[in-house]
Amino acid sequence: MSFTPDHATVWIEIPVTDLGKSIAFYEAATGGKLDRQQMGPNETAVFQTADPAGGVAGHLYEGKPATQGQGPTIHLAVAGTLEEALERLRKAGGTVLSDAIPIPAGRFAYCQDLDGNSIGLFEHS
């Protein structure tokens, strides 16, 4: 059996300890907006995409983050340059863990959010 979907990732969920503070952090770091909404039993903050019907997105929810830097790494697209995004992340209280790493599709850097979740900030080429 062979399965090749259009997008291997269909949704992400990032657990945070304080939804309001994390919304402000992720909006600052990425330069994008999150839409606060009730989703099932949880209040969430949904990352917005240019195509809400077909874009791959996800949300923040109040939950238990993995031990400092031990969970999966979620890479997020950013507005502007990677350097601008890293500066916004630092000012918002996050931690930059690596220098910029070039790959064919662009550049990214490893970081941690307010709860120690492992994230990558990604600038498309």
Side-chain angles (χ1 to χ4, degrees), residues 50-101:
D51 179 6
V56 176
H59 67 246
L60 307 177
Y61 70 99
E62 286 192 344
K64 185 177 180 185
T67 305
Q68 191 82 359
Q70 297 301 305
T73 302
I74 305 298
H75 291 263
L76 300 167
V78 299
T81 68
L82 180 58
E83 289 74 18
E84 292 166 344
L86 294 174
E87 184 58 28
R88 293 191 306 260
L89 176 127
R90 283 186 193 97
K91 286 182 179 176
T95 305
V96 177
L97 301 175
S98 76
D99 291 331
I101 300 168

Side-chain angles (χ1 to χ4, degrees), residues 32-33 47-57 77:
K33 290 289 181 194
F47 291 93
Q48 301 301 293
T49 63
D51 179 6
V56 176

